[in-house]
Amino acid sequence: MYGEMTTGELREKFLQYFKRNGHTVVPSDSLIPSGDPTLLFTSAGMVQFKKHFLGQTRLDFTRAASCQKCLRTSDIERVGLTARHLTFFEMLGNFSFGDYFKKEAIAWGWEFLTKEAGLDEKKLYPTIYKDDNEASELWKKFVPESRIVRLGEESNFWNMGPTGPCGPCSEILFDRGEEYSKGHDCPGPGCDCDRYMEVWNLVFTQFDRQTDGKLVPLPQKNIDTGMGLERLSMVVNGKTSSFETDQFENLIREIKSKIGQNASAKNVRIISDHIRSCTFLISDGILPSNEGRGYVLRRLLRRALREGWTLGTREPFLHKLAAIVARDMGQGYPELPERLSNIQSIIKTEEENTLSTIEVGTKTLETEVKKIKGIREIGGDIGQVKIPGEKVFQIYDTYGLGKEIQTEIVRDWGGELIFSEGEYASAKEKAVAAARSGWKGSGEKDLTLYATLQKKLGATVFKAYDSMELKTKILAVIQGGKETEELAQGSEGEILLAETPFYAESGGQVGDKGFIVGESSAANALVKDTQRPYEGVVTHHVFVTGGRIRRGDAVTAKVDEVLRRQTMRHHTATHLLHAALRKILGPQVTQGGSWVSPEKLRFDFTFPRALSEEELVSVEKEVNANILADIPRIRTEESLEEARKKGALAFFGDKYGAKVFVLNYGTASTEVCGGTHVLNTGDIGLFKIMSQRSVGSGVRRIEAASGEKANEFIAAREKSLKEEEERLREKSREKEKNSALSKQRGEADIAALLNASETLPSSNNGNVKVVAGEFEAESVDALRETADHVRDKLGNGIVILASRSEDKISFVVTLTPALKDAGFHAGKIAKAFASKIGGSGGGRDLFAQGGGKPVSNLKDILKDFPKELSSK
C-alpha cells in the first residue's frame, strides 16, 4: 500500500462526508447508461441523473452523492503514454436538484479537500468562468483573489448540448510543483502541463440556452460535481501517477510476474488499465462482439493482449489478472467477486480466440507494409504507409486485428498507417450486409411528446400486478406521433389510460395484449402491444374494431388472460431454469439476457461450452421437481442492498430503483424482478427444453416452453417421431422386398451361369466344369460369396465372376480343392484373366481376385477365356 490513505478509504470518506451533510448516497449506475440511451458508456456521475436534471422525472430526494464507475475511450491512444490517462475510472460526485447552489457546493468542496482529504490549501487554485462574479466572491472566503483564476467558455462553461441546461463551472486545481512543468516556463493555472492538475469540477447549472443562443435563468438551479477518485488518491498520497496508487499496486506486480520484469511502463499501464475496464464491462453484462459496446470491450482486450505478445507471452494471462481486480475492488463493488468465474471464463475464451490469429495477422500486415514500401526488413523510420481501406478491413475481419491496433503496430514499427475510412466502412458493410460501422445511439423514437404528456397528465397508475381487468379513462390519444382527439374504426394508434392492468414490455417480458371496451358506446379496440416509452408513461398500441376511441372516454381495460398467464408461466420458469443451471453447472453461470412471451422462453447465460445431453436432462429434471413441489411465491419490496443480503440474484446490466421487488420461491429461486409471475410453481405445469446453441463467445442460449406450450411441443415431437418411425418401417419393408427380389434375381442369374458352364477335359480329375460370367454385386465380398455358392453347386470346377462399376472391373477366381492336384492354380488364372482387361490379379491356389479397366467387350472375354484354360 502506498501513501497514508487508501483509495477505498477516500471513497468512503467522500460518501460519508456528504451523507452527514444531508445527501442520499446513491449506488453506482451500470456502465451501460440508464439515464441516456444515446451514450455508449456511462462517462460521468451525472449521467444516471440526467432525466432528473431535465425535470423529466422526480426523485424522493433533492441531494445525492455517489461514486460512479465510468468508462471513456476518447483518450485510449494516450493510455500508457501519460501518467494520468485511464479508460476506466471512478468519479466521486455530489448533486443538487433545485436544493443548494454555489455557496454550499464551494464551501463543501473546500472543506472536504482540506479537512477530510488533508490537501495543503496553499496548493489549491480555483478556476471560475470569466464572468462568474458570484463564484469569485464565494471563493474569496477561502483563498486570496490572486489565486482565483478566470478562464473562458471553452474550459469553464458547461453545456449539455447546443440548447438546453448549461452553466458556468469552477475547477479546483492542485499545484504539484515546478518539477511537473515538463521543462517549460509554465504560465500558471490553465496551462496544459502536469503541474496544475484538475482535482474537482463544480458545475453550476443555472441557465437554459435558447435556439438563438440567449441564456434564460432556470427556475430550478442544479449542482453537478465530478472528481476522479484515482486522481484524488494520487495527489493526496503524493504519487507521480495514478498507476502508483494502491488500486494498481498488486495488479502491476502480478502483470510483471506474467509478462516479465523487463516490461516497460507503457506495457504495464496499458494492461493494468484495460483489464480493469474489461473486468467491469463484463461484470455489467457486456460481451465481446464486433460492434457497439462489445467492440470496445474486444478492442481493449486485444490491445492489452498484444502488449503481452510483444514481450513473448503466448499463453492467456489476462483472465488471471481479473481476479486481482475483483479482490482489490470487491469491497466497493461486491458484484465483482460474485461474478468472477463468469468474467474470467469470457476473457479466457476471447484470449484463446485472439492468440490463435494474432501472429499470422501481424505477419500479414508486415508483408503488406514491406510490399508497399518496397523494403525487405522493417526497421527505423518507415514513414507513411498507405494501405487500401479494404485491406485494413480484411486483416481485421480475418485475424481480429482492429484498425486501431493495426495503426499502433505500424506506429511501433516507426511508421504512420494511412487508409481510407470510407473504403474500410464500405468493405465492412459488404461483409456484414449491414451499415453498422459504429454506435448510432439508441434508435428510439422522439420522446418529446411522451415527456410533455407525462408532465401534463402525471404518471400512469400501474396495476398490472393487481388486476387483469379494470374500469379506467382514456387520457390521451396518439396517431402518427401526434396527439389527437379520437381514433376511428379500422385505424391504429396509441392511447394513455389513467390506470392500466396491462404490463408494459420490460425486463425481457413482452407487453400485454388484450381489449378496450367502451362503457357507454360501441367503441371496441384490440390492444396489440403495451410499451413504456418514457418514465411513468404506459402506452397501449390499439386497433379499433368498432366505433370510435375518444379522449376522455370511460372504458374497461381487459388483459388477454390466456396470453398473460402463459407469459407468467414462462417468466417464472426462467427463474427456475437459472437456478437449476447454477446448481448443475456451478455458480459461474450468470444470466446474460432473457426474453419471455406466451409462446416460449429464451434464456442466455454465460458458459464456455455446450451442455451435454446428461446435463440438459439434469437441468430439466431439477426445474420440473420444483414445479411439482408447488412452491408458493413470496414477493417483497425492499432496497437492492437488503435484497442482496438475502441472497437475491440481481443481474448485471440491469438498472434498479431505490426499491426493488424480490421474488422468492422457497429454496428454489430468489431473484430481483419486476415481471409478472405465477402464485405457485405448480401453476407452471410442465417445463421442457427445446434447444440449446451458442450466441457468442462464452454465451449459450436455451429455448424452452412451459404449460400448454410444453405439451404442444412434446405432442409435435412425438408426432414427428411417429412419422419418422413409420418412414423407417416403410423403408425397412421396402428393403426386405427388394432383398427378396434381389435374391430371386440372384438365384436366377446363378442358374443361368451354371447352364452356360463349359466342360474341360482333365487327365487327373475327369471332366472339369468352368463357369465364367458377369454378375452384378455390391462389393468384392458379395462377388466372392456368390462365386463360392456357384462353385459348391458345380461339385468339381472353376468359377470366374466379374462385376462392372463406372470406373473399373472387379473379379474373383475360385476352384474346388481337388483341382489343385490337377495343376490348376487360382492365382495364375487371375493373372491371366487380368491381362485381358488391362489390370492385375493374383492370390492363392484356391482363391484369387483382381481388377482392371472397364472394357466394353467384357462378355466376349469371359466367353472365350475358358477355352484358353482347356488348352493348358
Side-chain angles (χ1 to χ4, degrees):
M1 179 178 68
Y2 295 103
E4 298 178 355
M5 199 178 302
T6 68
T7 306
E9 289 169 345
L10 278 172
R11 184 195 301 119
E12 189 62 21
K13 266 185 175 290
F14 178 88
L15 296 176
Q16 290 306 314
Y17 173 80
F18 281 97
K19 185 176 182 180
R20 292 196 303 271
N21 283 288
H23 291 65
T24 298
V25 175
V26 179
S28 172
D29 194 9
S30 167
L31 286 172
I32 303 172
S34 63
D36 189 348
T38 65
L39 292 177
L40 198 58
F41 297 109
T42 298
S43 56
M46 64 79 61
V47 171
Q48 70 168 310
F49 300 116
K50 184 175 179 180
K51 291 180 180 178
H52 314 310
F53 279 123
L54 294 173
Q56 296 174 351
T57 56
R58 292 180 177 84
L59 292 167
D60 297 331
F61 47 83
T62 57
R63 298 179 178 185
S66 70
C67 180
Q68 173 64 50
K69 50 192 176 186
C70 299
L71 193 126
R72 295 178 183 174
T73 57
S74 55
D75 291 324
I76 189 172
E77 305 297 340
R78 300 189 70 182
V79 173
L81 302 178
T82 73
R84 53 192 170 90
H85 280 94
L86 303 169
T87 55
F88 174 85
F89 60 96
E90 298 177 77
M91 183 174 283
L92 303 170
N94 58 291
F95 309 91
S96 168
F97 313 108
D99 190 324
Y100 62 86
F101 201 47
K102 293 180 184 178
K103 178 183 177 181
E104 294 84 354
I106 288 173
W108 285 331
W110 181 261
E111 183 177 49
F112 178 79
L113 289 178
T114 59
K115 306 301 182 186
E116 299 291 325
L119 291 180
D120 184 352
E121 62 182 54
K122 294 179 181 179
K123 293 185 177 182
L124 295 175
Y125 289 76
T127 70
I128 61 172
Y129 178 55
K130 60 185 178 63
D131 298 330
D132 193 354
N133 295 322
E134 181 185 2
S136 177
E137 291 302 314
L138 291 169
W139 273 118
K140 286 178 185 179
K141 297 178 182 180
F142 304 103
V143 297
E145 186 174 3
S146 61
R147 296 231 310 271
I148 301 172
V149 184
R150 292 178 183 264
L151 296 173
E153 186 169 347
E154 183 178 342
S155 62
N156 277 65
F157 198 94
W158 178 84
N159 297 281
M160 186 174 285
T163 61
C166 58
C169 58
S170 177
E171 294 182 346
I172 304 175
L173 310 180
F174 181 79
D175 183 2
R176 304 173 71 200
E178 195 173 332
E179 64 270 26
Y180 290 94
S181 296
K182 295 183 178 178
H184 76 289
D185 186 15
C186 176
C191 179
D192 195 34
C193 68
D194 287 340
R195 175 173 178 177
Y196 294 95
M197 181 169 285
E198 175 197 336
V199 176
W200 205 341
N201 188 16
L202 315 178
V203 178
F204 313 126
T205 314
Q206 63 186 95
F207 299 115
D208 184 4
R209 189 185 295 275
Q210 306 299 299
T211 54
D212 60 1
K214 185 179 179 180
L215 298 178
V216 178
L218 285 169
Q220 173 183 298
K221 295 177 173 61
N222 302 316
I223 290 293
D224 161 27
T225 82
M227 174 166 55
L229 177 57
E230 292 84 356
R231 189 173 294 188
L232 175 64
S233 179
M234 178 177 70
V235 297
V236 165
N237 294 294
K239 303 301 178 183
T240 61
S241 161
S242 295
F243 296 98
E244 292 179 2
T245 59
D246 63 291
Q247 280 197 345
F248 285 90
E249 180 183 14
N250 294 324
L251 185 56
I252 288 175
R253 184 185 301 115
E254 188 67 17
I255 289 170
K256 289 184 176 180
S257 74
K258 293 286 188 292
I259 66 173
Q261 297 298 321
N262 61 335
S264 69
K266 173 179 173 286
N267 300 139
V268 170
R269 287 171 179 174
I270 289 176
I271 295 171
S272 60
D273 170 78
H274 289 9
I275 191 58
R276 287 188 355 138
S277 295
C278 295
T279 301
F280 275 89
L281 285 170
I282 296 171
S283 175
D284 276 1
I286 299 167
L287 300 172
S289 69
N290 288 334
E291 55 188 302
R293 299 182 179 106
Y295 175 75
V296 174
L297 170 59
R298 176 163 282 168
R299 180 186 174 191
L300 289 166
L301 278 169
R302 289 179 173 178
R303 193 168 187 259
L305 194 61
R306 183 179 169 270
E307 292 302 314
W309 179 275
T310 60
L311 294 172
T313 303
R314 297 294 183 267
E315 297 295 328
F317 70 96
L318 295 175
H319 65 284
K320 298 175 183 177
L321 301 178
I324 309 299
V325 178
R327 184 192 66 195
D328 289 357
M329 302 192 72
Q331 185 174 0
Y333 302 95
E335 66 272 17
L336 291 180
E338 291 173 4
R339 300 165 184 168
L340 179 59
S341 296
N342 162 53
I343 293 167
Q344 289 184 304
S345 174
I346 292 171
I347 292 176
K348 186 177 182 182
T349 299
E350 186 70 11
E351 286 187 275
E352 291 170 341
N353 292 340
T354 301
L355 284 168
S356 63
T357 59
I358 192 171
E359 182 174 19
V360 66
T362 303
K363 287 184 180 295
T364 301
L365 178 61
E366 181 181 351
T367 300
E368 190 70 17
V369 170
K370 288 178 179 178
K371 182 176 71 174
I372 290 172
K373 300 298 293 184
I375 56 178
R376 298 182 63 184
E377 295 296 332
I378 290 178
D381 184 2
I382 62 175
Q384 289 189 343
V385 181
K386 295 182 180 181
I387 298 180
E390 297 94 333
K391 186 65 179 180
V392 175
F393 176 75
Q394 181 188 4
I395 293 173
Y396 159 67
D397 195 38
T398 307
Y399 306 109
L401 295 182
K403 56 185 179 181
E404 301 88 358
I405 293 180
Q406 292 182 56
T407 299
E408 291 185 27
I409 292 173
V410 174
R411 186 186 301 132
D412 289 346
W413 290 339
E416 179 186 4
L417 178 61
I418 305 294
F419 66 94
S420 166
E421 287 283 0
E423 292 175 356
Y424 182 95
S426 176
K428 181 176 182 181
E429 185 175 348
K430 292 176 183 177
V432 301
R436 296 189 297 178
S437 58
W439 185 257
K440 303 300 182 185
S442 66
E444 296 183 355
K445 55 185 175 182
D446 185 7
L447 304 180
T448 306
L449 175 60
Y450 303 106
T452 303
L453 289 172
Q454 196 268 354
K455 287 184 179 180
K456 182 172 69 173
L457 305 173
T460 307
V461 179
F462 188 64
K463 293 195 172 182
Y465 300 130
D466 310 315
S467 174
M468 293 197 199
E469 178 178 338
L470 56 78
K471 296 183 185 300
T472 185
K473 182 180 180 181
I474 298 176
L475 298 183
V477 179
I478 301 171
Q479 189 174 40
K482 297 180 180 180
E483 196 173 0
T484 186
E485 287 297 312
E486 64 179 24
L487 294 173
Q489 182 175 343
S491 62
E492 292 191 39
E494 297 171 275
I495 62 172
L496 274 64
L497 303 175
E499 297 180 342
T500 182
F502 289 84
Y503 183 87
E505 181 177 340
S506 64
Q509 179 175 327
V510 299
D512 278 335
K513 297 180 179 181
F515 314 92
I516 300 293
V517 181
E519 289 290 293
S520 58
S521 67
N524 289 282
L526 290 175
V527 177
K528 300 175 69 176
D529 192 15
T530 308
Q531 293 289 325
R532 185 182 285 107
Y534 191 81
E535 190 74 27
V537 177
V538 175
T539 62
H540 309 77
H541 184 184
V542 298
F543 174 78
V544 182
T545 57
R548 292 176 179 271
I549 293 291
R550 295 186 176 91
R551 183 169 64 87
D553 281 357
V555 296
T556 297
K558 298 180 179 180
V559 175
D560 188 319
E561 191 170 338
V562 173
L563 296 181
R564 162 74 83 80
R565 293 197 181 281
Q566 189 57 37
T567 300
M568 290 164 63
R569 293 187 188 100
H570 281 141
H571 203 154
T572 305
T574 301
H575 286 216
L576 298 181
L577 170 61
H578 186 196
L581 287 167
R582 288 171 65 87
K583 181 177 180 179
I584 303 299
L585 304 178
Q588 73 272 21
V589 170
T590 310
Q591 179 173 338
S594 69
W595 182 79
V596 291
S597 74
E599 299 301 316
K600 63 181 179 180
L601 69 87
R602 186 177 70 209
F603 186 76
D604 295 348
F605 59 99
T606 54
F607 201 63
R609 60 171 175 80
L611 276 66
S612 67
E613 188 63 31
E614 292 77 10
E615 288 170 332
L616 286 172
V617 170
S618 296
V619 168
E620 195 175 89
K621 184 177 179 181
E622 175 70 16
V623 174
N624 281 311
N626 285 318
I627 291 172
L628 288 172
D630 199 24
I631 306 166
R633 182 193 76 191
I634 299 175
R635 184 169 65 191
T636 58
E637 190 175 11
E638 48 200 285
S639 71
L640 182 59
E641 185 178 357
E642 291 169 338
R644 278 179 166 155
K645 286 179 180 178
K646 293 181 178 179
L649 294 176
F651 304 118
F652 51 112
D654 285 354
K655 170 63 181 172
Y656 300 102
K659 293 288 185 178
V660 297
F661 283 118
V662 178
L663 271 294
N664 171 265
Y665 289 96
T667 58
S669 170
T670 303
E671 292 191 10
V672 174
C673 184
T676 59
H677 293 271
V678 298
L679 292 174
N680 300 277
T681 58
D683 296 340
I684 297 172
L686 176 66
F687 174 82
K688 185 65 184 174
I689 293 175
M690 300 190 293
S691 66
Q692 70 150 329
R693 64 186 179 94
S694 170
V695 290
S697 180
V699 182
R700 306 294 302 174
R701 171 173 293 172
I702 282 179
E703 292 193 353
S706 65
E708 284 301 312
K709 294 301 176 182
N711 288 329
E712 290 174 10
F713 173 76
I714 292 171
R717 193 170 69 169
E718 287 181 349
K719 180 183 178 183
S720 177
L721 288 172
K722 286 180 180 178
E723 290 174 349
E724 179 65 15
E725 183 181 358
E726 181 57 33
R727 189 185 69 80
L728 291 173
R729 190 180 290 113
E730 180 61 30
K731 187 176 181 180
S732 177
R733 286 195 292 264
E734 187 69 22
K735 186 175 181 180
E736 290 177 3
K737 180 180 178 181
N738 291 337
S739 178
L741 290 173
S742 293
K743 187 175 182 181
Q744 292 175 8
R745 286 197 301 268
E747 292 294 341
D749 290 343
I750 290 172
L753 287 170
L754 291 171
N755 289 332
S757 63
E758 293 197 18
T759 302
L760 303 178
S762 173
S763 59
N764 297 326
N765 287 280
N767 294 331
V768 177
K769 290 184 177 180
V770 179
V771 172
E774 187 175 356
F775 191 86
E776 185 178 337
E778 295 179 355
S779 64
V780 174
D781 288 340
L783 196 63
R784 177 176 182 173
E785 185 177 343
T786 303
D788 289 344
H789 182 62
V790 173
R791 180 201 61 204
D792 294 341
K793 285 183 175 291
L794 286 176
N796 188 36
I798 301 169
V799 178
I800 305 167
L801 293 185
S803 177
R804 184 194 302 269
S805 63
E806 291 183 1
D807 58 347
K808 67 177 181 179
I809 291 174
S810 299
F811 69 89
V812 295
V813 178
T814 183
L815 48 86
T816 51
L819 294 181
K820 177 181 177 181
D821 296 334
F824 292 99
H825 190 282
K828 293 178 180 179
I829 295 173
K831 286 182 180 180
F833 183 76
S835 66
K836 304 291 183 180
I837 57 174
S840 61
R844 297 185 299 275
D845 47 7
L846 298 180
F847 178 80
Q849 64 186 45
K853 298 177 181 178
V855 293
S856 59
N857 59 337
L858 178 62
K859 288 185 178 180
D860 293 336
I861 294 173
L862 287 166
K863 181 179 180 182
D864 296 337
F865 189 69
K867 297 175 183 176
E868 296 185 20
L869 292 177
S870 63
S871 64
K872 291 182 179 180

